[in-house]
Amino acid sequence: MSEPVARTRPPYIAVIGDGDPRGPDSNRILEWAEEVGQDLARGGAVVVTGGLGGVMRAASRGAAGVGGETIGILPGADPAEANEFVRTPIATGLGVARNLVVVTSSDAVVAVGGKHGTLSEIGLALRMGRSVVALSSWRVESEGRLGGPRIHRARDPREAAALALRLAREGPQQPT
Amino acid sequence: MSEPVARTRPPYIAVIGDGDPRGPDSNRILEWAEEVGQDLARGGAVVVTGGLGGVMRAASRGAAGVGGETIGILPGADPAEANEFVRTPIATGLGVARNLVVVTSSDAVVAVGGKHGTLSEIGLALRMGRSVVALSSWRVESEGRLGGPRIHRARDPREAAALALRLAREGPQQPT
Amino acid sequence: MSEPVARTRPPYIAVIGDGDPRGPDSNRILEWAEEVGQDLARGGAVVVTGGLGGVMRAASRGAAGVGGETIGILPGADPAEANEFVRTPIATGLGVARNLVVVTSSDAVVAVGGKHGTLSEIGLALRMGRSVVALSSWRVESEGRLGGPRIHRARDPREAAALALRLAREGPQQPT
Amino acid sequence: MSEPVARTRPPYIAVIGDGDPRGPDSNRILEWAEEVGQDLARGGAVVVTGGLGGVMRAASRGAAGVGGETIGILPGADPAEANEFVRTPIATGLGVARNLVVVTSSDAVVAVGGKHGTLSEIGLALRMGRSVVALSSWRVESEGRLGGPRIHRARDPREAAALALRLAREGPQQPT
């Protein structure tokens, strides 16, 4: 009677970045995040963010503006802290540890700009087998050679979204 | 342009309980969980569970069967572990610590039966200011007198769902 | 050359309870917590707490006063938040989720008084297979019959410490 | 009567890296980790690790061999999983989320080699305001300019330990 729903799950793609970008690049970063959110939603993805301001709000706004689904994984205990473009707020009460949930709940991750919190999410994403697309974000190089998921660099929002949609469809790699 | 979505958020209500109930009561427990899920969805709530089997699956099935929204907060890193009635799986990678997210992301909690994991979720719910409705579940008494959220006992699924919907609308209490 | 150290590990026993007890019973609760800490340390246990005030500070003070080892598992990121009787502070940055670490890092748990946070730790302890000794604390009853670890009631600090030392030596039960 | 103990806390320094290094460099990495542990302990630091094998075991072995204190923050629930050079095992039950506790409980962090888990710990350390010393480890560059804690590169174990001891004494920076 009750029809299963999970089989048709769309790709979940996280957009991570600074919650309060400043400096000369901040407008470009926010515009890019909004375009990434828009393109991801147009491509059929659910956009996952940390639910707060800055890049998180811009990406959610982009996705919501074209009718996309948005999930916000909040650090605090109050769902009302989510920005107004988050459709499904998940209040975790975990503080910084919620960063792990943002990336683990997603099939791929796009980093737009970002500070140390973003770097930690990039590391956690790779650790959990999720590939990362970096747009004007951290450059990270290992001294050794590592298999598994990796960081792909994109030149603009369109390329970032297209890459992430493709990587999400390939599914997670093995955690490493 | 982009229209805010969060203002109209429906109540989120968690249904918690045994992932693999056994013994003479197990059929009744699963039927009750399904009815609770159904009534919560009919009342307009999003049903949040831990996303796995037993009571979690029964409650999700009840909600999905009447067209309701279902969220599954999973302990592992693979969204495919969610039961087939979860519409929005959140893979946390947190193990047991995901119990905190199940209750914190909800406005009220219904416990149907349950073992030690359920007791921990009841405690965490109260700690986070969420009221709990107990249906054939733990009896818990403090030696002192405590203010804040409390455990309400219900006699049947209908009463449990009605109580939870009312408590969720009152909103969370102060964490204690 | 380097000699292994872990083989001779003493029992780790958590003392949990209210961080700021008030009301007519509060003096008795704090005295009892201090006596429990003292007896546990005399019995050779390392005393684990949440590292803050109230029952946590009293138990640490009792243990430190007789030369015992004390560990404080803090919710915040600053080890200086530990009370002055904690020898080994572990700043977790986890907020409420640190409750899981307090009980999981211990072989047995003594609850002295306590509010909702303590109830959540009792539930988490049982869930992780750790037995609990309750001293003037929560009364908890399941409607069904459960195997595995359980809550033992003690009448005074001496009995609580003796019970906990015995339970810790029996080792953890299976998580349930 | 009871004498405060926390005031004289020694620096806590985490050594992070691969739990199972392979390939041509693995012997050098393990030797370096052991030397770092040794030098940190000689310098008066408590050595914090994730408590398991590879770099974690080598660093603990180095510290224990010169009489130093060692703490192991374990992902699982069983303290017996700690390597034999961990004096104080903290079983967290948190899985990958224990990485946050490893770095937050420390005043500074030394990364020796390492894969994606190590990168996540470097990011989390910086996020929590802890400075990082990298020895044959990740190269990480932001496109923007960031204040706060940073990654210092060391050429050999001696330099890494000396740098970390100095950074730990300066104390944590502001989380960013």
PDB file of all heavy atoms in Angstrom, chain B residues 97-116:
ATOM      1  N   ALA B  97      26.010   8.769  18.357  1.00  0.00           N
ATOM      2  CA  ALA B  97      25.840  10.200  18.599  1.00  0.00           C
ATOM      3  C   ALA B  97      24.756  10.793  17.704  1.00  0.00           C
ATOM      4  O   ALA B  97      24.282  11.904  17.951  1.00  0.00           O
ATOM      5  CB  ALA B  97      27.154  10.954  18.407  1.00  0.00           C
ATOM      6  N   ARG B  98      24.323  10.052  16.673  1.00  0.00           N
ATOM      7  CA  ARG B  98      23.237  10.572  15.842  1.00  0.00           C
ATOM      8  C   ARG B  98      21.930  10.664  16.632  1.00  0.00           C
ATOM      9  O   ARG B  98      21.018  11.394  16.227  1.00  0.00           O
ATOM     10  CB  ARG B  98      23.073   9.775  14.563  1.00  0.00           C
ATOM     11  CG  ARG B  98      22.350   8.438  14.661  1.00  0.00           C
ATOM     12  CD  ARG B  98      20.851   8.513  14.638  1.00  0.00           C
ATOM     13  NE  ARG B  98      20.183   7.424  14.013  1.00  0.00           N
ATOM     14  CZ  ARG B  98      20.012   6.220  14.552  1.00  0.00           C
ATOM     15  NH1 ARG B  98      20.522   5.911  15.731  1.00  0.00           N
ATOM     16  NH2 ARG B  98      19.327   5.312  13.891  1.00  0.00           N
ATOM     17  N   ASN B  99      21.827   9.941  17.735  1.00  0.00           N
ATOM     18  CA  ASN B  99      20.612  10.037  18.561  1.00  0.00           C
ATOM     19  C   ASN B  99      20.328  11.477  18.977  1.00  0.00           C
ATOM     20  O   ASN B  99      19.174  11.894  19.062  1.00  0.00           O
ATOM     21  CB  ASN B  99      20.738   9.162  19.818  1.00  0.00           C
ATOM     22  CG  ASN B  99      20.654   7.670  19.505  1.00  0.00           C
ATOM     23  OD1 ASN B  99      20.618   7.278  18.339  1.00  0.00           O
ATOM     24  ND2 ASN B  99      20.615   6.847  20.535  1.00  0.00           N
ATOM     25  N   LEU B 100      21.396  12.218  19.245  1.00  0.00           N
ATOM     26  CA  LEU B 100      21.218  13.621  19.613  1.00  0.00           C
ATOM     27  C   LEU B 100      20.577  14.406  18.479  1.00  0.00           C
ATOM     28  O   LEU B 100      19.723  15.271  18.706  1.00  0.00           O
ATOM     29  CB  LEU B 100      22.576  14.241  19.977  1.00  0.00           C
ATOM     30  CG  LEU B 100      22.567  15.730  20.325  1.00  0.00           C
ATOM     31  CD1 LEU B 100      21.765  15.998  21.590  1.00  0.00           C
ATOM     32  CD2 LEU B 100      23.992  16.255  20.512  1.00  0.00           C
ATOM     33  N   VAL B 101      20.970  14.117  17.262  1.00  0.00           N
ATOM     34  CA  VAL B 101      20.445  14.847  16.106  1.00  0.00           C
ATOM     35  C   VAL B 101      18.970  14.502  15.872  1.00  0.00           C
ATOM     36  O   VAL B 101      18.169  15.364  15.518  1.00  0.00           O
ATOM     37  CB  VAL B 101      21.290  14.567  14.848  1.00  0.00           C
ATOM     38  CG1 VAL B 101      20.779  15.384  13.661  1.00  0.00           C
ATOM     39  CG2 VAL B 101      22.763  14.887  15.099  1.00  0.00           C
ATOM     40  N   VAL B 102      18.611  13.237  16.078  1.00  0.00           N
ATOM     41  CA  VAL B 102      17.207  12.832  15.891  1.00  0.00           C
ATOM     42  C   VAL B 102      16.280  13.705  16.742  1.00  0.00           C
ATOM     43  O   VAL B 102      15.279  14.226  16.248  1.00  0.00           O
ATOM     44  CB  VAL B 102      17.004  11.340  16.247  1.00  0.00           C
ATOM     45  CG1 VAL B 102      15.522  10.979  16.278  1.00  0.00           C
ATOM     46  CG2 VAL B 102      17.740  10.443  15.261  1.00  0.00           C
ATOM     47  N   VAL B 103      16.629  13.877  18.006  1.00  0.00           N
ATOM     48  CA  VAL B 103      15.719  14.617  18.881  1.00  0.00           C
ATOM     49  C   VAL B 103      15.888  16.132  18.758  1.00  0.00           C
ATOM     50  O   VAL B 103      14.914  16.873  18.871  1.00  0.00           O
ATOM     51  CB  VAL B 103      15.852  14.181  20.360  1.00  0.00           C
ATOM     52  CG1 VAL B 103      15.500  12.708  20.501  1.00  0.00           C
ATOM     53  CG2 VAL B 103      17.250  14.455  20.916  1.00  0.00           C
ATOM     54  N   THR B 104      17.115  16.602  18.523  1.00  0.00           N
ATOM     55  CA  THR B 104      17.328  18.041  18.436  1.00  0.00           C
ATOM     56  C   THR B 104      16.683  18.622  17.185  1.00  0.00           C
ATOM     57  O   THR B 104      16.219  19.768  17.185  1.00  0.00           O
ATOM     58  CB  THR B 104      18.835  18.372  18.457  1.00  0.00           C
ATOM     59  OG1 THR B 104      19.417  17.786  19.619  1.00  0.00           O
ATOM     60  CG2 THR B 104      19.074  19.871  18.497  1.00  0.00           C
ATOM     61  N   SER B 105      16.629  17.830  16.120  1.00  0.00           N
ATOM     62  CA  SER B 105      16.028  18.326  14.875  1.00  0.00           C
ATOM     63  C   SER B 105      14.504  18.331  14.929  1.00  0.00           C
ATOM     64  O   SER B 105      13.859  18.810  13.994  1.00  0.00           O
ATOM     65  CB  SER B 105      16.512  17.483  13.694  1.00  0.00           C
ATOM     66  OG  SER B 105      16.152  16.137  13.854  1.00  0.00           O
ATOM     67  N   SER B 106      13.927  17.848  16.025  1.00  0.00           N
ATOM     68  CA  SER B 106      12.471  17.739  16.140  1.00  0.00           C
ATOM     69  C   SER B 106      11.922  18.711  17.174  1.00  0.00           C
ATOM     70  O   SER B 106      12.620  19.143  18.072  1.00  0.00           O
ATOM     71  CB  SER B 106      12.100  16.302  16.532  1.00  0.00           C
ATOM     72  OG  SER B 106      12.615  15.401  15.567  1.00  0.00           O
ATOM     73  N   ASP B 107      10.634  19.026  17.028  1.00  0.00           N
ATOM     74  CA  ASP B 107       9.976  19.930  17.973  1.00  0.00           C
ATOM     75  C   ASP B 107       9.354  19.178  19.138  1.00  0.00           C
ATOM     76  O   ASP B 107       9.091  19.751  20.191  1.00  0.00           O
ATOM     77  CB  ASP B 107       8.896  20.726  17.235  1.00  0.00           C
ATOM     78  CG  ASP B 107       9.479  21.527  16.083  1.00  0.00           C
ATOM     79  OD1 ASP B 107      10.341  22.384  16.353  1.00  0.00           O
ATOM     80  OD2 ASP B 107       9.110  21.281  14.925  1.00  0.00           O
ATOM     81  N   ALA B 108       9.082  17.907  18.938  1.00  0.00           N
ATOM     82  CA  ALA B 108       8.566  17.050  19.998  1.00  0.00           C
ATOM     83  C   ALA B 108       8.889  15.618  19.608  1.00  0.00           C
ATOM     84  O   ALA B 108       9.252  15.349  18.460  1.00  0.00           O
ATOM     85  CB  ALA B 108       7.060  17.226  20.169  1.00  0.00           C
ATOM     86  N   VAL B 109       8.780  14.704  20.574  1.00  0.00           N
ATOM     87  CA  VAL B 109       9.234  13.330  20.372  1.00  0.00           C
ATOM     88  C   VAL B 109       8.167  12.358  20.871  1.00  0.00           C
ATOM     89  O   VAL B 109       7.609  12.558  21.951  1.00  0.00           O
ATOM     90  CB  VAL B 109      10.550  13.096  21.154  1.00  0.00           C
ATOM     91  CG1 VAL B 109      10.995  11.648  21.072  1.00  0.00           C
ATOM     92  CG2 VAL B 109      11.653  14.029  20.637  1.00  0.00           C
ATOM     93  N   VAL B 110       7.882  11.320  20.077  1.00  0.00           N
ATOM     94  CA  VAL B 110       7.023  10.226  20.537  1.00  0.00           C
ATOM     95  C   VAL B 110       7.870   8.968  20.662  1.00  0.00           C
ATOM     96  O   VAL B 110       8.503   8.545  19.686  1.00  0.00           O
ATOM     97  CB  VAL B 110       5.869   9.945  19.550  1.00  0.00           C
ATOM     98  CG1 VAL B 110       4.972   8.828  20.094  1.00  0.00           C
ATOM     99  CG2 VAL B 110       5.055  11.204  19.283  1.00  0.00           C
ATOM    100  N   ALA B 111       7.902   8.380  21.868  1.00  0.00           N
ATOM    101  CA  ALA B 111       8.620   7.119  22.077  1.00  0.00           C
ATOM    102  C   ALA B 111       7.609   5.989  22.080  1.00  0.00           C
ATOM    103  O   ALA B 111       6.651   6.010  22.859  1.00  0.00           O
ATOM    104  CB  ALA B 111       9.374   7.150  23.400  1.00  0.00           C
ATOM    105  N   VAL B 112       7.818   4.995  21.202  1.00  0.00           N
ATOM    106  CA  VAL B 112       6.931   3.837  21.158  1.00  0.00           C
ATOM    107  C   VAL B 112       7.752   2.619  21.559  1.00  0.00           C
ATOM    108  O   VAL B 112       8.647   2.188  20.827  1.00  0.00           O
ATOM    109  CB  VAL B 112       6.337   3.634  19.745  1.00  0.00           C
ATOM    110  CG1 VAL B 112       5.306   2.514  19.764  1.00  0.00           C
ATOM    111  CG2 VAL B 112       5.724   4.923  19.219  1.00  0.00           C
ATOM    112  N   GLY B 113       7.460   2.061  22.727  1.00  0.00           N
ATOM    113  CA  GLY B 113       8.268   0.957  23.242  1.00  0.00           C
ATOM    114  C   GLY B 113       9.703   1.402  23.409  1.00  0.00           C
ATOM    115  O   GLY B 113       9.977   2.539  23.817  1.00  0.00           O
ATOM    116  N   GLY B 114      10.650   0.527  23.117  1.00  0.00           N
ATOM    117  CA  GLY B 114      12.043   0.953  23.091  1.00  0.00           C
ATOM    118  C   GLY B 114      12.920   0.351  24.166  1.00  0.00           C
ATOM    119  O   GLY B 114      12.451  -0.030  25.235  1.00  0.00           O
ATOM    120  N   LYS B 115      14.198   0.291  23.859  1.00  0.00           N
ATOM    121  CA  LYS B 115      15.206  -0.238  24.775  1.00  0.00           C
ATOM    122  C   LYS B 115      16.122   0.905  25.236  1.00  0.00           C
ATOM    123  O   LYS B 115      15.678   2.034  25.386  1.00  0.00           O
ATOM    124  CB  LYS B 115      15.976  -1.355  24.072  1.00  0.00           C
ATOM    125  CG  LYS B 115      15.071  -2.593  23.851  1.00  0.00           C
ATOM    126  CD  LYS B 115      15.850  -3.836  23.428  1.00  0.00           C
ATOM    127  CE  LYS B 115      16.507  -3.634  22.072  1.00  0.00           C
ATOM    128  NZ  LYS B 115      16.857  -4.923  21.439  1.00  0.00           N
ATOM    129  N   HIS B 116      17.382   0.568  25.489  1.00  0.00           N
ATOM    130  CA  HIS B 116      18.268   1.582  26.080  1.00  0.00           C
ATOM    131  C   HIS B 116      18.536   2.756  25.152  1.00  0.00           C
ATOM    132  O   HIS B 116      18.677   3.893  25.599  1.00  0.00           O
ATOM    133  CB  HIS B 116      19.577   0.914  26.504  1.00  0.00           C
ATOM    134  CG  HIS B 116      19.381  -0.055  27.630  1.00  0.00           C
ATOM    135  ND1 HIS B 116      19.960  -1.301  27.652  1.00  0.00           N
ATOM    136  CD2 HIS B 116      18.647   0.031  28.755  1.00  0.00           C
ATOM    137  CE1 HIS B 116      19.606  -1.927  28.756  1.00  0.00           C
ATOM    138  NE2 HIS B 116      18.812  -1.144  29.441  1.00  0.00           N
TER     139      HIS B 116
END
